[in-house]
Each structure stands twice: as structure tokens, then as C-alpha cells.
Amino acid sequence: MGEVAVNGPMSIMAADPAEDLVNGIDGLPSDTKENVEGIINGVAGLNERVKRRAKRPSKFLSKELNRANSDSQVVAPLRALKNSRKSRNGFGRGLPKKGGAGGKGTWGALGSELAEEELDGAIDTNDPNYDETNPENKEIKMKVIHVDRSDEEIQKQISSLVAEYYDHGDTHETYLSLEELNLSVRAHLVLVTAVELAMDHKPSHREMTSVLLADLYGHMLYEPHYAKGYDMLIKNLSDLVLDTPDAPTILGNFIARSIADDCIPPKFLQVIREVDNEHAVTALARSESLLSMRHGLVRLDNVWGVGGGTRPVKYLVKKMVLLLQEYLSSADIAEATRCLLELEVPHFHHELVYEAIIMTIEKMDDRTSAMMCELLGSLHRAIIITPSQMKAGFLRVYEDMPQICVDVPPAYTVLERFVMRCQASKVVGDDVVKKLPVRGRKRFVSEGDGGRVKDDAYF
């Protein structure tokens, strides 16, 4: 084929571009040949490069990459970012699409299982909670049927609740528990059972019982319940005395306390006076004597005494000193033990040991030392005074010996003999004896005995 000549502007397009660059736009030669060669090489490089489509990461990926580069040199794997179900457009809150309810392999929206159960109308038969008697899973209303219970069964349940009350001391919790028994007509059994149970317990529990009966007034117990309950107790006094000899006095205290708490009127004593029982007369006389004394209603708040934990220390010390003095005059260990137990202060028994040793040092006679050792030995064997309390009492005396010796010069000698006597009776151990203080004595030139202590001078 021959060459086709084309005239006009198209001839410029057919010409070699390199030649045009060399000649210039106007056909004139270029100023520098090196510049032209560089341009030709750049154009050739652009024509030879393979053009690919640019894949730019989304805003989400760029942010994650920038954060990873700023924290460390290790770049987070792109696969975890690629498989993320969070929004990538930069406008979302970063939550899963449709709240986790859409897409393959999702758990579904929160609470969707309840909607499925409502649509199905029943739980799956393979479900462990499936009930064949209630396939539609409807709510079942339970009817409480109170079987006719005897008074003995009710009193047994009340006794367990009152015993629990002695442990926690919460009257409101006890009221809620008693209310579940649905006593209504037989609510007076609460008073009867509580008073009978308190007769076998210590004074602090009787005080708690009086507080419980006062707090139940107006909620579960009313005036007719108190009157009926105390009437039953008065009639049963002949049986209660067999187990509790002081039952008439205790019942009289309870009646007087209920009158002071405004649970029953004072005329109650006049209504039940027509009783031929001897024990009932004693109980009513006790109540009248408590109410007729001066400021009786105020004093009845402490009719059972003050609890050991709330009594002043000076009061307890005074009681223990009187206890020991009475024991020295009567030599009745049983009565001293009873008086100590009535104080209800097992954590303060070391004071009794301390006062017993101090009294022995001050008396400085063999009779007092023997009686005190016998009393401490009896309390130790009965585990009324624990070994730790016994040891604490002796160590307190050891610490106070410099002051005691000022008033009683031969205190060290008396103490040593008493400790040895107690060790022989196995009241104290060797660890207490080893800590026995040694008497420090100055030697005077005028004595002439070389500072020897004459032990026989005081006995």
C-alpha cells in the first residue's frame, strides 16, 4: 500500500512527537537539548507503566492504621478490621448492624427468644424446663391451703422462731416470720410460747422477750390476746413450777412489764384476782408490788436487769467485790457461781480473778488464801472462767505489784505463796508461774541481816 498524504491540521497528529519537541512548538529548534531528552524519556516511561485501579482504604481502616502506627511499629492485621461488623462509613456509633439482630451467624436481638416463645405458645419439648402438665407455659396461681394444725404444732413453730430471735434480736424479722404462720385467732399462743420459753433462759433473753411482746402490740397482738395469754399462763402455773421454781415471780414480772408498756390496762390485775391457785396469787402479788413502788413504771424498764454488755465497768467491779465478800462470809461456792453467771459478762471474768488475788494479799491470812484458791479452782474446773481469763487476771496483778506493794509491803511474799497454791491445785500453769515478779529490795546497813527476807514474819 502506498503512503496517504494528509493535508491540514491532522498532519501534526501524525508527526512524531519527539520531533515536534525538538523543533519546538513553532517549528523552531529548542534552547537546550538536554531538557528535550529528559522529557522524551519521561513520556516513554508513562507509556510503558501498567495502569492499575487504585484501592484506597476506607476512613475506618485509615483511622485504625494511624492509631496502630502511632502506638507501636507493629501494624494491626487487616483481616480483623476487614471482618469487623461495625459501621465503616464513619457516621455510625460503632455498634453492630441492626443491634446484632441481622446477618448470618448472629445471636439475634436482645429478648428475641421471649418473642419466639410467645409466638410458639410453648417451650420446646427438649427444654429441661418443659412441663407436660402445662405445655402452653401459662402462669399457675398457687392457692395456700391452711391445714388444721394443733396448738402443739403451732407452739413448736413459734418456739423455733423465738429461739432464732434470741440470736439476731430483730423484732421486725420475727414479726414477718410469725405473720407467715397465719395465726389470726390463735395469736395469743405467741405470748404463751414466748413467756414459757423465756422462763428457761437467762434474764437478758427475758428482756428481749418483753421487747418482742411490746413491739408486736398493734401489729399481731392486741389487748384481748394479752389478756387471754396471761390467763392461760396463770392457770398453768402449777405445771410450770415443776420445771421452773421461780415461775410465779417471772410471770409477775412479765405482767407488770406489759402493763408498763401499755399493752394491757392496770385493771387486768383486778379482773383475774378471783383465782384460788396459790402460785397465781404469788404472781399477782409480785405484779402489784412492782407497780405500787415509787416510780414503778419507770423502774420496770430494768425489771430484768441491764445486759452485761451495757453495764458500766464500775458497776460490774462493785458486784464482783460484793460477791467475793459474801463468799468469804458464807463459804458457799454454788451461790458465788450463780451470782457470777447472772452478771453475764464472760469477757470480764478476769476482773473476778484480779479482785480475788487483791483481796487475798490485803487479808494476809491462810484462810482467805485457801478459800480463794478453792473458788478459782471450782470455776476453772467448771470452765466458767476460761484459762485465758484466768491468766489475764494473774498477769494484771503482776503488773500492778509495784503499786500494791506500797500499801501492803509483804505483797510479793503473799502473792508467791498464793500462786504456788494455785499451781498445786492446777488452777494456773507453769507459764504463769514463770512470769511471777521478783521482789526488788534495797539493803540497809542498819539491818544487819544482809537483806534477807523473813517469810515467816507475816504468817
Short mmCIF file of all heavy atoms in Angstrom, two decimals, residues 219-257:
data_model
loop_
_atom_site.label_atom_id
_atom_site.label_comp_id
_atom_site.label_asym_id
_atom_site.label_seq_id
_atom_site.Cartn_x
_atom_site.Cartn_y
_atom_site.Cartn_z
N HIS A 219 -49.77 -4.80 115.93
CA HIS A 219 -49.49 -5.43 114.64
C HIS A 219 -50.04 -6.85 114.58
O HIS A 219 -50.75 -7.20 113.64
CB HIS A 219 -47.98 -5.44 114.38
CG HIS A 219 -47.37 -4.08 114.36
ND1 HIS A 219 -47.48 -3.22 113.29
CD2 HIS A 219 -46.66 -3.41 115.29
CE1 HIS A 219 -46.86 -2.09 113.54
NE2 HIS A 219 -46.33 -2.18 114.76
N MET A 220 -49.70 -7.63 115.56
CA MET A 220 -50.19 -9.01 115.60
C MET A 220 -50.95 -9.29 116.90
O MET A 220 -51.91 -10.05 116.91
CB MET A 220 -49.02 -9.99 115.46
CG MET A 220 -49.39 -11.45 115.60
SD MET A 220 -48.01 -12.56 115.35
CE MET A 220 -47.74 -12.36 113.59
N LEU A 221 -50.51 -8.68 118.00
CA LEU A 221 -51.13 -8.89 119.29
C LEU A 221 -51.89 -7.64 119.71
O LEU A 221 -51.40 -6.52 119.53
CB LEU A 221 -50.07 -9.24 120.34
CG LEU A 221 -49.24 -10.50 120.11
CD1 LEU A 221 -48.20 -10.66 121.21
CD2 LEU A 221 -50.12 -11.73 120.02
N TYR A 222 -53.07 -7.86 120.27
CA TYR A 222 -53.89 -6.78 120.79
C TYR A 222 -54.28 -7.11 122.22
O TYR A 222 -53.95 -8.18 122.75
CB TYR A 222 -55.13 -6.57 119.91
CG TYR A 222 -54.78 -6.14 118.51
CD1 TYR A 222 -54.60 -7.07 117.49
CD2 TYR A 222 -54.61 -4.79 118.20
CE1 TYR A 222 -54.27 -6.68 116.21
CE2 TYR A 222 -54.28 -4.39 116.91
CZ TYR A 222 -54.11 -5.34 115.92
OH TYR A 222 -53.78 -4.95 114.65
N GLU A 223 -54.98 -6.19 122.87
CA GLU A 223 -55.29 -6.35 124.29
C GLU A 223 -55.99 -7.67 124.61
O GLU A 223 -55.61 -8.33 125.59
CB GLU A 223 -56.15 -5.17 124.75
CG GLU A 223 -56.49 -5.19 126.23
CD GLU A 223 -57.29 -4.00 126.66
OE1 GLU A 223 -57.23 -2.96 125.96
OE2 GLU A 223 -58.01 -4.10 127.68
N PRO A 224 -56.97 -8.13 123.82
CA PRO A 224 -57.59 -9.44 124.14
C PRO A 224 -56.60 -10.60 124.08
O PRO A 224 -56.70 -11.56 124.84
CB PRO A 224 -58.69 -9.58 123.08
CG PRO A 224 -58.99 -8.20 122.65
CD PRO A 224 -57.69 -7.47 122.72
N HIS A 225 -55.62 -10.51 123.16
CA HIS A 225 -54.62 -11.58 123.06
C HIS A 225 -53.74 -11.62 124.30
O HIS A 225 -53.40 -12.70 124.81
CB HIS A 225 -53.77 -11.36 121.81
CG HIS A 225 -54.56 -11.42 120.54
ND1 HIS A 225 -54.30 -10.60 119.46
CD2 HIS A 225 -55.63 -12.17 120.17
CE1 HIS A 225 -55.15 -10.85 118.48
NE2 HIS A 225 -55.96 -11.81 118.89
N TYR A 226 -53.33 -10.43 124.81
CA TYR A 226 -52.52 -10.40 126.03
C TYR A 226 -53.31 -10.95 127.21
O TYR A 226 -52.78 -11.73 128.02
CB TYR A 226 -52.06 -8.97 126.32
CG TYR A 226 -50.98 -8.47 125.40
CD1 TYR A 226 -51.30 -7.76 124.24
CD2 TYR A 226 -49.64 -8.69 125.68
CE1 TYR A 226 -50.32 -7.29 123.39
CE2 TYR A 226 -48.65 -8.21 124.84
CZ TYR A 226 -48.99 -7.51 123.69
OH TYR A 226 -48.02 -7.06 122.85
N ALA A 227 -54.57 -10.53 127.33
CA ALA A 227 -55.39 -10.99 128.46
C ALA A 227 -55.59 -12.50 128.41
O ALA A 227 -55.45 -13.19 129.44
CB ALA A 227 -56.74 -10.27 128.43
N LYS A 228 -55.88 -13.03 127.24
CA LYS A 228 -56.10 -14.47 127.11
C LYS A 228 -54.81 -15.26 127.34
O LYS A 228 -54.81 -16.32 127.97
CB LYS A 228 -56.68 -14.79 125.74
CG LYS A 228 -57.12 -16.23 125.57
CD LYS A 228 -57.80 -16.43 124.23
CE LYS A 228 -58.28 -17.88 124.06
NZ LYS A 228 -58.95 -18.09 122.75
N GLY A 229 -53.69 -14.73 126.83
CA GLY A 229 -52.41 -15.42 127.00
C GLY A 229 -51.97 -15.47 128.45
O GLY A 229 -51.56 -16.53 128.95
N TYR A 230 -52.05 -14.34 129.16
CA TYR A 230 -51.64 -14.34 130.57
C TYR A 230 -52.61 -15.17 131.42
O TYR A 230 -52.21 -15.77 132.43
CB TYR A 230 -51.57 -12.91 131.09
CG TYR A 230 -50.32 -12.18 130.67
CD1 TYR A 230 -50.39 -10.96 130.00
CD2 TYR A 230 -49.07 -12.71 130.93
CE1 TYR A 230 -49.25 -10.29 129.60
CE2 TYR A 230 -47.92 -12.05 130.55
CZ TYR A 230 -48.01 -10.84 129.88
OH TYR A 230 -46.86 -10.19 129.49
N ASP A 231 -53.88 -15.20 131.03
CA ASP A 231 -54.83 -16.03 131.76
C ASP A 231 -54.47 -17.51 131.64
O ASP A 231 -54.54 -18.27 132.62
CB ASP A 231 -56.24 -15.77 131.21
CG ASP A 231 -57.31 -16.45 132.05
OD1 ASP A 231 -57.11 -16.59 133.27
OD2 ASP A 231 -58.34 -16.88 131.48
N MET A 232 -54.05 -17.93 130.44
CA MET A 232 -53.63 -19.33 130.26
C MET A 232 -52.37 -19.62 131.07
O MET A 232 -52.24 -20.70 131.67
CB MET A 232 -53.38 -19.61 128.78
CG MET A 232 -54.62 -19.65 127.92
SD MET A 232 -54.25 -20.03 126.19
CE MET A 232 -53.46 -21.63 126.35
N LEU A 233 -51.45 -18.68 131.13
CA LEU A 233 -50.21 -18.90 131.88
C LEU A 233 -50.48 -19.00 133.38
O LEU A 233 -49.86 -19.80 134.08
CB LEU A 233 -49.22 -17.77 131.59
CG LEU A 233 -48.60 -17.76 130.19
CD1 LEU A 233 -47.84 -16.47 129.94
CD2 LEU A 233 -47.67 -18.96 130.00
N ILE A 234 -51.40 -18.17 133.87
CA ILE A 234 -51.72 -18.22 135.30
C ILE A 234 -52.36 -19.56 135.65
O ILE A 234 -52.06 -20.15 136.71
CB ILE A 234 -52.64 -17.04 135.66
CG1 ILE A 234 -51.85 -15.73 135.60
CG2 ILE A 234 -53.25 -17.23 137.05
CD1 ILE A 234 -52.68 -14.49 135.81
N LYS A 235 -53.19 -20.07 134.79
CA LYS A 235 -53.82 -21.36 135.06
C LYS A 235 -52.83 -22.53 134.96
O LYS A 235 -53.04 -23.56 135.58
CB LYS A 235 -54.97 -21.58 134.08
CG LYS A 235 -56.14 -20.61 134.29
CD LYS A 235 -57.24 -20.85 133.27
CE LYS A 235 -58.41 -19.89 133.50
NZ LYS A 235 -59.49 -20.08 132.51
N ASN A 236 -51.77 -22.36 134.19
CA ASN A 236 -50.77 -23.43 134.02
C ASN A 236 -49.58 -23.27 134.95
O ASN A 236 -48.57 -23.97 134.78
CB ASN A 236 -50.27 -23.45 132.57
CG ASN A 236 -51.37 -23.82 131.58
OD1 ASN A 236 -52.34 -24.49 131.95
ND2 ASN A 236 -51.22 -23.37 130.35
N LEU A 237 -49.66 -22.37 135.92
CA LEU A 237 -48.51 -22.15 136.80
C LEU A 237 -48.16 -23.39 137.60
O LEU A 237 -46.98 -23.63 137.89
CB LEU A 237 -48.81 -20.97 137.75
CG LEU A 237 -48.38 -19.59 137.26
CD1 LEU A 237 -48.79 -18.53 138.27
CD2 LEU A 237 -46.88 -19.54 137.00
N SER A 238 -49.15 -24.17 137.97
CA SER A 238 -48.86 -25.38 138.75
C SER A 238 -47.96 -26.34 137.98
O SER A 238 -47.14 -27.06 138.58
CB SER A 238 -50.16 -26.08 139.15
OG SER A 238 -50.92 -26.39 137.99
N ASP A 239 -48.08 -26.39 136.66
CA ASP A 239 -47.21 -27.23 135.84
C ASP A 239 -45.87 -26.55 135.56
O ASP A 239 -44.83 -27.22 135.46
CB ASP A 239 -47.90 -27.57 134.53
CG ASP A 239 -49.17 -28.39 134.74
OD1 ASP A 239 -49.25 -29.10 135.75
OD2 ASP A 239 -50.08 -28.30 133.89
N LEU A 240 -45.88 -25.23 135.41
CA LEU A 240 -44.64 -24.52 135.11
C LEU A 240 -43.68 -24.52 136.29
O LEU A 240 -42.46 -24.49 136.11
CB LEU A 240 -44.95 -23.07 134.68
CG LEU A 240 -45.77 -22.90 133.40
CD1 LEU A 240 -46.10 -21.44 133.17
CD2 LEU A 240 -45.02 -23.47 132.20
N VAL A 241 -44.24 -24.57 137.50
CA VAL A 241 -43.38 -24.55 138.69
C VAL A 241 -42.54 -25.82 138.78
O VAL A 241 -41.43 -25.80 139.34
CB VAL A 241 -44.26 -24.39 139.95
CG1 VAL A 241 -43.45 -24.59 141.21
CG2 VAL A 241 -44.89 -23.01 139.96
N LEU A 242 -42.99 -26.91 138.20
CA LEU A 242 -42.23 -28.15 138.26
C LEU A 242 -40.89 -28.01 137.53
O LEU A 242 -39.88 -28.56 137.96
CB LEU A 242 -43.05 -29.29 137.65
CG LEU A 242 -44.39 -29.60 138.35
CD1 LEU A 242 -45.14 -30.69 137.59
CD2 LEU A 242 -44.16 -30.00 139.81
N ASP A 243 -40.89 -27.30 136.41
CA ASP A 243 -39.65 -27.09 135.64
C ASP A 243 -38.90 -25.84 136.08
O ASP A 243 -37.67 -25.80 136.05
CB ASP A 243 -39.97 -27.01 134.15
CG ASP A 243 -40.58 -28.30 133.61
OD1 ASP A 243 -40.26 -29.37 134.18
OD2 ASP A 243 -41.37 -28.22 132.66
N THR A 244 -39.65 -24.79 136.44
CA THR A 244 -39.04 -23.52 136.83
C THR A 244 -39.61 -23.11 138.18
O THR A 244 -40.74 -22.59 138.25
CB THR A 244 -39.32 -22.42 135.78
OG1 THR A 244 -38.96 -22.91 134.49
CG2 THR A 244 -38.53 -21.16 136.08
N PRO A 245 -38.90 -23.33 139.26
CA PRO A 245 -39.45 -22.98 140.59
C PRO A 245 -39.79 -21.50 140.74
O PRO A 245 -40.70 -21.14 141.50
CB PRO A 245 -38.33 -23.39 141.56
CG PRO A 245 -37.56 -24.43 140.81
CD PRO A 245 -37.62 -24.01 139.37
N ASP A 246 -39.09 -20.63 140.01
CA ASP A 246 -39.35 -19.19 140.12
C ASP A 246 -40.39 -18.72 139.11
O ASP A 246 -40.47 -17.51 138.81
CB ASP A 246 -38.05 -18.40 139.89
CG ASP A 246 -37.02 -18.70 140.96
OD1 ASP A 246 -37.44 -19.10 142.07
OD2 ASP A 246 -35.81 -18.56 140.68
N ALA A 247 -41.20 -19.62 138.57
CA ALA A 247 -42.17 -19.25 137.54
C ALA A 247 -43.16 -18.19 138.01
O ALA A 247 -43.48 -17.25 137.25
CB ALA A 247 -42.91 -20.50 137.05
N PRO A 248 -43.72 -18.23 139.25
CA PRO A 248 -44.65 -17.17 139.66
C PRO A 248 -44.02 -15.79 139.67
O PRO A 248 -44.64 -14.81 139.22
CB PRO A 248 -45.07 -17.60 141.08
CG PRO A 248 -44.87 -19.08 141.10
CD PRO A 248 -43.66 -19.31 140.24
N THR A 249 -42.78 -15.69 140.15
CA THR A 249 -42.10 -14.39 140.17
C THR A 249 -41.82 -13.90 138.76
O THR A 249 -42.00 -12.70 138.45
CB THR A 249 -40.79 -14.50 140.97
OG1 THR A 249 -41.07 -14.99 142.28
CG2 THR A 249 -40.09 -13.16 141.05
N ILE A 250 -41.38 -14.81 137.88
CA ILE A 250 -41.08 -14.42 136.50
C ILE A 250 -42.35 -13.98 135.78
O ILE A 250 -42.37 -12.96 135.07
CB ILE A 250 -40.41 -15.60 135.76
CG1 ILE A 250 -39.07 -15.92 136.41
CG2 ILE A 250 -40.23 -15.28 134.29
CD1 ILE A 250 -38.41 -17.17 135.86
N LEU A 251 -43.44 -14.72 135.97
CA LEU A 251 -44.70 -14.34 135.33
C LEU A 251 -45.20 -13.01 135.86
O LEU A 251 -45.73 -12.18 135.10
CB LEU A 251 -45.74 -15.44 135.54
CG LEU A 251 -47.10 -15.20 134.88
CD1 LEU A 251 -46.96 -15.02 133.38
CD2 LEU A 251 -48.06 -16.35 135.20
N GLY A 252 -45.05 -12.77 137.17
CA GLY A 252 -45.44 -11.48 137.72
C GLY A 252 -44.64 -10.34 137.12
O GLY A 252 -45.19 -9.25 136.85
N ASN A 253 -43.36 -10.55 136.86
CA ASN A 253 -42.54 -9.52 136.21
C ASN A 253 -43.02 -9.26 134.78
O ASN A 253 -43.06 -8.10 134.33
CB ASN A 253 -41.08 -9.95 136.20
CG ASN A 253 -40.48 -9.98 137.58
OD1 ASN A 253 -41.04 -9.45 138.53
ND2 ASN A 253 -39.33 -10.63 137.71
N PHE A 254 -43.39 -10.32 134.05
CA PHE A 254 -43.87 -10.14 132.68
C PHE A 254 -45.18 -9.37 132.66
O PHE A 254 -45.39 -8.49 131.80
CB PHE A 254 -44.05 -11.51 132.01
CG PHE A 254 -42.82 -12.02 131.32
CD1 PHE A 254 -42.14 -13.11 131.81
CD2 PHE A 254 -42.34 -11.40 130.17
CE1 PHE A 254 -41.00 -13.58 131.18
CE2 PHE A 254 -41.20 -11.85 129.53
CZ PHE A 254 -40.53 -12.96 130.04
N ILE A 255 -46.10 -9.68 133.59
CA ILE A 255 -47.38 -8.97 133.62
C ILE A 255 -47.16 -7.49 133.94
O ILE A 255 -47.75 -6.60 133.30
CB ILE A 255 -48.31 -9.64 134.64
CG1 ILE A 255 -48.67 -11.05 134.19
CG2 ILE A 255 -49.59 -8.81 134.82
CD1 ILE A 255 -49.49 -11.84 135.20
N ALA A 256 -46.32 -7.22 134.94
CA ALA A 256 -46.04 -5.83 135.30
C ALA A 256 -45.37 -5.08 134.15
O ALA A 256 -45.67 -3.90 133.90
CB ALA A 256 -45.17 -5.78 136.55
N ARG A 257 -44.48 -5.75 133.44
CA ARG A 257 -43.79 -5.10 132.31
C ARG A 257 -44.78 -4.81 131.18
O ARG A 257 -44.70 -3.75 130.54
CB ARG A 257 -42.66 -6.01 131.82
CG ARG A 257 -41.89 -5.46 130.62
CD ARG A 257 -41.16 -4.17 130.96
NE ARG A 257 -40.42 -3.69 129.82
CZ ARG A 257 -39.15 -4.05 129.55
NH1 ARG A 257 -38.51 -4.86 130.39
NH2 ARG A 257 -38.53 -3.58 128.50
#
